[in-house]
Structures are given as C-alpha cells and as structure tokens.
Amino acid sequence: LRVFRAVRLFKKLSSLRILFNALLGSIVPVLNSVFILVIITAMYSIVAVELYGPQSELFVDFTQAMFTMYQVATGDSWASGVARVLFDKDPDTDEVEFDDTSMPFFVSYTVVTGMILLNVV
C-alpha cells in the first residue's frame, strides 16, 4: 500500500520523474565502462603475472594480480605497496636497481584506467 504512494509521488513531481529516468538511463553506459575496465584489468593482470610473478608475492596468480591491479587503479597506496616492491635491491651493495618494465607498465595502466573511470563520471 505504501509503495503505491511512492508511485503517485512520481506521477505528481515531474522533476523527480526526470531525475529517476536519467538514473535508469545511465545504468547501461556505466556497466559498459565497468566491463571494459574489467577486461583491461584482466589483460594487465595476465601480463603482470608473467613479468613480476617471480619477483613479488603480489603477482603470483591471476586473482592476486587482479586485486593488486584494482589497488593500482584506485590509487590505494600502490606506489609504496606495489611499485616499490618491484625495485631490485642488490644484497651485496644495497644498491637499488630499477626494473625497466615496471614504469611503462604501471604508467600506461594508470592512464588507461584513468580515462575509463573519467568516462564513468
């Protein structure tokens, strides 16, 4: 019975109806962007398992790599928690050696996912 009151409210307030229709109309484009983001993240996760699996426990399998790449996409302390782990430290000299593939890999992933997430907003 109370549900019908809400339906009558939608009929009376045209601005609320317009807002509700706009929200319903935006569901499909947002889901398309999320689907594309999942595909891109899966592709980068597969590459990350191949490149960084032996170096880091964050990329040992696909599910762990997906979670880590999601962390990178959201910007959740990925520079200190994910990228710095991939720097090789020489145990003899304590010198940090930079892995040539990590910077282009993470920068390209961040740019691509940033563009996709900007399309959602």
Side-chain angles (χ1 to χ4, degrees), residues 33-34 36-38 40-42 44-45 59 65-79 82 105-118:
S33 295
V34 169
I36 291 171
L37 183 65
V38 167
I40 296 294
T41 303
Y44 271 87
S45 296
F59 298 105
M66 278 289 283
F67 181 76
T68 304
M69 296 310 289
Y70 177 74
Q71 180 181 1
V72 171
T74 59
D76 182 28
S77 74
W78 70 273
V82 177
F105 179 79
F106 287 113
V107 168
S108 66
Y109 178 72
T110 304
V111 167
V112 169
T113 56
M115 289 182 350
I116 293 171
L117 289 174
L118 280 176

Side-chain angles (χ1 to χ4, degrees), residues 38-54:
V38 167
I39 290 173
I40 296 294
T41 303
M43 290 171 31
Y44 271 87
S45 296
I46 292 169
V47 172
V49 167
E50 293 297 320
L51 288 177
Y52 310 119

Side-chain angles (χ1 to χ4, degrees), residues 66-98:
M66 278 289 283
F67 181 76
T68 304
M69 296 310 289
Y70 177 74
Q71 180 181 1
V72 171
T74 59
D76 182 28
S77 74
W78 70 273
S80 61
V82 177
R84 290 190 194 268
V85 175
L86 299 175
F87 295 149
D88 292 328
K89 186 178 254 189
D90 190 8
D92 296 332
T93 61
D94 279 342
E95 209 173 280
V96 175
E97 297 174 7
F98 183 71

